[in-house]
Amino acid sequence: MDQNKKVWEIYPRLTRIIRDAHQEHKMDGTGHDFDHALRAAQVCLMIAPTPLTARIAAAAGLCHNADRMLQHARGVGKKDVPDAEVMTMVRSWLAGGESFASTDEDFIVDAVLKHSGFNNSEDHPVLVTLMDADRIICSMAEEVMHATRFWLELPDLDPVHLSHDPEAHSYRNPRSVFKNFECRRDWIDPSSRVCVRLPRAMELMKRFVGAMNDYIEEVEGQRIELGLYPDYPKFS
């Protein structure tokens, strides 16, 4: 496979099917739009350990918003979306796109179903590639703009604590969108169950997380300069 090819050149039919599905499910503004899927697929091509894995994982990247589409359509939690329905949706897309070997299709479906989970030593290369790619695109600089769409229930910023709320956790209970930015640090921590695992993925992630850390420091530095941290008015 030509490593310089774009995913839409490799999978023109599948890419159009996925684009149309995102439009049909009105995914713009949800944090999981077509561009999110396209970026994941492109990163898969960049970081995969072999050309074959890159090709299969890129297809999985295009398809990996399936659960989010069903979630959005029904107004339910992500865990409330049945795996069987995700599988049916993904297989229907693959059937209408380019030709896939049955084993490759199985890898794609399995990766889509499991890409949001914790790392496991038994994860196959397609799944590892998609998991790393999804974490990478969620660490890009533009995520500063997208994050408020994903965490609709949270305030943008906690002006009292900034990122230092002792009762907050960057992912499980961030309490603000700004605090959630810190969870990216776990994605470059080898002791974490969500650390990226592929060498090229780690190279990209370190740079992206470094930029996010710079952003966090700049926000906090500006508020310190204005005299708004650590002092902030308290009202009874």
Side-chain angles (χ1 to χ4, degrees):
M1 183 182 70
D2 183 352
Q3 293 295 315
N4 294 318
K5 273 199 169 185
K6 311 297 186 185
V7 68
W8 58 89
E9 296 171 337
I10 300 169
Y11 298 120
R13 293 197 301 273
L14 181 61
T15 302
R16 181 174 291 275
I17 288 169
I18 299 301
R19 191 279 310 268
D20 291 348
H22 281 82
Q23 291 182 342
E24 178 185 345
H25 286 82
K26 298 179 172 58
M27 296 301 288
D28 286 350
T30 65
H32 290 88
D33 57 10
F34 171 68
D35 184 69
H36 177 92
L38 190 70
R39 285 185 289 138
Q42 278 296 113
V43 173
C44 285
L45 292 176
M46 295 172 63
I47 66 174
T50 68
L52 178 59
T53 298
R55 191 179 188 93
I56 301 169
L62 285 174
C63 296
H64 88 282
N65 281 345
D67 55 349
R68 297 295 186 178
M69 290 187 196
L70 293 168
Q71 175 190 2
H72 181 63
R74 298 177 182 181
V76 299
K78 184 172 179 292
K79 293 181 180 179
D80 298 320
V81 177
D83 284 354
E85 295 186 20
V86 175
M87 292 171 63
T88 298
M89 177 176 275
V90 173
R91 289 190 188 279
S92 71
W93 292 338
L94 296 176
E98 282 67 27
S99 178
F100 294 92
S102 60
T103 53
D104 293 346
E105 185 174 309
D106 290 343
F107 280 132
I108 292 168
V109 172
D110 189 65
V112 171
L113 288 173
K114 297 177 180 177
H115 77 275
S116 297
F118 291 116
N119 296 349
N120 188 300
S121 60
E122 297 181 359
D123 292 341
H124 53 81
V126 173
L127 175 56
V128 171
T129 302
L130 178 57
M131 293 172 83
D132 279 10
D134 195 38
R135 291 164 184 161
I136 286 170
I137 65 170
C138 289
S139 302
M140 293 176 66
E142 63 195 70
E143 287 305 304
V144 171
M145 296 179 284
H146 299 322
T148 54
R149 296 177 177 180
F150 184 75
W151 294 99
L152 291 174
E153 72 279 16
L154 296 179
D156 297 345
L157 182 80
D158 173 359
V160 175
H161 299 100
L162 299 183
S163 64
H164 306 284
D165 184 348
E167 297 183 11
H169 183 278
S170 62
Y171 189 78
R172 290 193 297 270
N173 181 30
R175 295 165 68 105
S176 74
V177 176
F178 185 66
K179 176 65 177 179
N180 173 253
F181 292 151
E182 289 187 342
C183 78
R184 278 79 176 166
R185 296 169 181 170
D186 290 341
W187 298 346
I188 56 172
D189 178 359
S191 67
S192 166
R193 292 190 294 168
V194 292
C195 183
V196 296
R197 289 173 280 182
L198 298 171
R200 177 61 171 149
M202 181 61 80
E203 178 184 335
L204 289 171
M205 187 66 87
K206 284 182 176 179
R207 181 158 57 87
F208 290 1
V209 172
M212 189 68 74
N213 287 336
D214 289 344
Y215 175 77
I216 293 170
E217 291 176 7
E218 182 63 23
V219 169
E220 296 191 342
Q222 290 179 7
R223 294 188 69 86
I224 290 170
E225 188 173 5
L226 268 61
L228 295 175
Y229 185 80
D231 299 318
Y232 198 79
K234 296 180 175 61
F235 303 96
S236 57

